[in-house]
Amino acid sequence: MSVLTITKNNFQEEVIRSEKPVLLDFWASWCGPCRMVSPIVDEIAAERGDIKVGKINVDEQPELAAQFGVMSIPTLVVMKEGKIVNQEVGARPKNAILSML
């Protein structure tokens, strides 16, 4: 499955109403650690059909970043049934991201 670009317009449909767990990557283009995590998140999206993977650009979606209390990026959030079940801040290796799921 490909990575979804999550915005305030599709958040309800793609994240809150998702039947699958959702891995969200809060990022920004100017963030070095975000650029390290991004290909790992892409890889997980390609390998795992049982989850949904979305990226939220904090510069373009400040309301969503505020809603999740994102103060530092990258922030990775796992949601199930519309609720946050896991949240980590900072670059993580692939196995640490997978263990969040």
Side-chain angles (χ1 to χ4, degrees), residues 11-22:
F11 181 78
Q12 282 287 50
E13 185 61 35
E14 296 293 355
V15 179
I16 299 298
R17 294 190 191 123
S18 175
E19 293 181 7
K20 296 178 179 181
V22 183

Side-chain angles (χ1 to χ4, degrees), residues 2 34 45 50 53 68 86 88 95:
S2 62
C34 298
D50 60 323
V53 178
F68 281 85
N86 213 332
E88 296 284 340
N95 62 343

Side-chain angles (χ1 to χ4, degrees), residues 20-66:
K20 296 178 179 181
V22 183
L23 172 64
L24 296 173
D25 174 17
F26 288 85
W27 69 284
S29 59
W30 48 263
C31 165
C34 298
R35 289 195 298 269
M36 290 169 33
V37 169
S38 185
I40 298 169
V41 171
D42 295 346
E43 207 174 283
I44 292 170
E47 293 171 358
R48 298 281 303 262
D50 60 323
I51 63 168
K52 225 182 232 192
V53 178
K55 292 186 179 183
I56 300 173
N57 183 323
V58 296
D59 290 334
E60 295 172 4
Q61 302 298 322
E63 301 92 344
L64 286 176

